[in-house]
């Protein structure tokens, strides 16, 4: 590091800052100790069965979208809190209009009061990068979307990267590799907006042409089909429960909750918090917490960082560009969503 600092004068400042960011991410990138499971032991196809292609070793699966159907899979069980993770490789080339989702939900059981935690990856035209968003719903609070949108510091089509969701009674943490990118702390003021009912893990690929890329300007082009997303090294760690059981196995879940909260990934260490702050400074380009047109008063879980807030406009987007409007973002859900219509920074 000292050698690099001595050499800073010989490289452009922007390149040096990028290098520092990559180094910081590498310092927290020690792999978590995770127990992965074969696909057949924890999952089954959700839809588009012919487009759910299992790997030869049984540890991975491909999800395909073609002109006939998308595809998806679902965990065999529902979980009352847990850690959900997979190594994912996204499609390359022209991917405009695509949405690849990795998320937890109970919408099939609690249709009017569902909970949800999302990673949603949004495709782009050739030569432009994938973007992604995270979101959180509790108790059917789809009219209070909590989207944040980001870029990545790597090309997610070149190799596998791990994406993880930690969900406990105290907090939610979204991870990219071993870098925490977002933490939501539970508070009394959130009430039922904090996800608390058992959820399944889902992964899907589908045609979101009406909103995913530049607000629907660029559609899926099936000339490039099939679009293939690859998943491997799947992780399901949590308390498996029956969602309609009136009285949960409190003691069994209590022990598993304690074990979950004792794991390395359950703690945002000072180094990880620094990496999270750095990520959000460099790669987050929309936050609902700073969208004062949408929320006159920020939702209770928002932590307003003055140095961060001054970078965003009243639309919740970065001051150097971008736009904002609301639209239902998924055919199977009714939500108010932020749609990316900015072409200059696409």
């Amino acid at each position: 590091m000292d050698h690099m600092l001595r050499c800073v004068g010989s490289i452009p400042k922007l390149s040096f800052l990028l290098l520092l960011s990559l180094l910081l991410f590498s310092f927290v990138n020690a792999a978590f100790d995770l127990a992965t499971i074969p696909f057949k032991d924890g999952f089954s196809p959700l839809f588009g069965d012919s487009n759910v292609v299992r790997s030869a070793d049984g540890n991975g699966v491909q999800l395909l979208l073609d002109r006939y159907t998308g595809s998806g899979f679902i965990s065999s069980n529902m979980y009352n809190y847990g850690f959900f993770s997979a190594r994912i490789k996204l499609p390359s080339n022209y991917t405009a209009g695509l949405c690849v989702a990795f998320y937890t939900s109970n919408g099939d059981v609690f249709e009017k009061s569902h909970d949800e935690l999302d990673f949603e990856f949004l495709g782009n035209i050739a030569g432009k990068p994938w973007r992604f968003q995270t979101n959180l719903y509790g108790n059917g609070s789809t009219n209070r979307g909590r989207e944040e949108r980001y870029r990545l510091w790597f090309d997610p089509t070149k190799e596998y990267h791990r994406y993880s969701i930690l969900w406990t009674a105290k907090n939610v943490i979204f991870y990219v590799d071993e870098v925490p990118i977002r933490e939501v702390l539970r508070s009394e003021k959130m009430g039922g907006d904090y996800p608390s009912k058992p959820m399944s893990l889902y992964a899907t690929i589908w045609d979101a042409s009406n909103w995913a890329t530049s607000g629907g300007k660029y559609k899926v082009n099936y000339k490039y089909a099939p679009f293939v997303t690859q998943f491997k090294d799947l992780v399901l760690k949590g308390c498996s429960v029956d969602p309609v059981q009136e009285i949960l196995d409190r003691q069994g879940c209590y022990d598993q909750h304690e074990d979950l909260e004792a794991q390395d990934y359950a703690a945002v260490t000072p180094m990880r918090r620094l990496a999270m702050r750095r990520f959000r400074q460099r790669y987050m380009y929309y936050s609902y917490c700073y969208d004062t047109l949408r929320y006159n008063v920020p939702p209770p879980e928002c932590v307003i960082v003055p140095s961060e807030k001054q970078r965003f406009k009243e639309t919740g987007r970065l001051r150097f560009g971008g736009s904002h409007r609301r639209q239902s973002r998924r055919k199977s859900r009714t939500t108010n969503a932020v749609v990316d219509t900015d072409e200059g920074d696409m």
Side-chain angles (χ1 to χ4, degrees), residues 91-97 123-130 213 218-219 221 224 346:
S92 59
N93 202 357
Y94 184 99
T95 56
N124 219 328
I125 61 176
K128 297 293 184 179
W130 280 81
T213 309
Y218 299 101
K219 314 293 186 183
N221 187 337
Y224 299 99
M346 184 174 58

Side-chain angles (χ1 to χ4, degrees), residues 115-134:
D115 306 304
E116 189 172 318
L117 297 167
D118 290 330
F119 272 106
E120 291 184 314
F121 303 93
L122 309 177
N124 219 328
I125 61 176
K128 297 293 184 179
W130 280 81
R131 294 182 170 191
F132 75 104
Q133 66 182 26
T134 61

Side-chain angles (χ1 to χ4, degrees), residues 47-93:
F47 69 99
D49 292 23
S50 62
N51 281 357
V52 179
V53 182
R54 304 183 191 192
S55 63
D57 63 8
N59 292 323
V61 65
Q62 294 182 348
L63 294 184
L64 282 65
L65 169 68
D66 57 29
R67 65 179 63 253
Y68 303 105
T69 183
S71 56
F73 63 82
I74 182 174
S75 62
S76 303
N77 296 315
M78 301 183 77
Y79 297 87
N80 185 31
Y81 305 122
F83 184 80
F84 312 97
S85 183
R87 288 169 55 79
I88 304 173
K89 185 178 179 183
L90 297 172
S92 59
N93 202 357

Side-chain angles (χ1 to χ4, degrees), residues 16-232:
F16 178 70
L17 291 175
L18 178 59
L19 183 57
L20 282 180
S21 294
L22 294 175
L23 280 172
L24 179 58
F25 293 156
S26 70
F27 291 154
V28 298
N29 209 32
F32 295 140
D33 182 14
L34 302 175
T36 62
I37 62 172
F39 182 82
K40 67 180 179 61
D41 289 352
F43 301 92
S44 60
L46 176 65
F47 69 99
D49 292 23
S50 62
N51 281 357
V52 179
V53 182
R54 304 183 191 192
S55 63
D57 63 8
N59 292 323
V61 65
Q62 294 182 348
L63 294 184
L64 282 65
L65 169 68
D66 57 29
R67 65 179 63 253
Y68 303 105
T69 183
S71 56
F73 63 82
I74 182 174
S75 62
S76 303
N77 296 315
M78 301 183 77
Y79 297 87
N80 185 31
Y81 305 122
F83 184 80
F84 312 97
S85 183
R87 288 169 55 79
I88 304 173
K89 185 178 179 183
L90 297 172
S92 59
N93 202 357
Y94 184 99
T95 56
L98 291 188
C99 180
V100 174
F102 183 71
Y103 64 104
T104 63
S105 179
N106 49 34
D108 292 338
V109 177
F110 304 102
E111 294 184 5
K112 296 183 179 180
S113 60
H114 86 283
D115 306 304
E116 189 172 318
L117 297 167
D118 290 330
F119 272 106
E120 291 184 314
F121 303 93
L122 309 177
N124 219 328
I125 61 176
K128 297 293 184 179
W130 280 81
R131 294 182 170 191
F132 75 104
Q133 66 182 26
T134 61
N135 209 340
L136 175 151
Y137 298 111
N139 204 34
S141 58
T142 54
N143 64 327
R144 295 185 293 280
R146 291 171 160 88
E147 300 97 334
E148 289 186 349
R149 283 198 173 187
Y150 328 85
R151 302 185 307 275
L152 288 162
W153 66 93
F154 54 80
D155 184 343
T157 72
K158 296 297 185 184
E159 56 188 16
Y160 287 89
H161 287 269
R162 181 167 291 285
Y163 304 90
S164 308
I165 301 170
L166 172 71
W167 171 45
T168 77
K170 301 175 182 177
N171 65 338
V172 172
I173 304 175
F174 294 89
Y175 281 98
V176 175
D177 291 326
E178 281 68 39
V179 178
I181 63 163
R182 179 181 183 182
E183 181 181 28
V184 178
L185 296 175
R186 187 175 193 170
S187 68
E188 289 187 10
K189 291 183 178 180
M190 285 189 74
D193 281 10
Y194 188 87
S196 58
K197 298 186 294 295
M199 292 193 279
S200 300
L201 177 65
Y202 296 78
T204 58
I205 182 171
W206 55 288
D207 185 331
S209 291
N210 65 325
W211 69 274
T213 309
S214 294
K217 178 178 180 180
Y218 299 101
K219 314 293 186 183
V220 172
N221 187 337
Y222 286 99
K223 178 179 72 174
Y224 299 99
F227 302 97
V228 181
T229 301
Q230 302 175 68
F231 298 79
K232 68 177 182 178

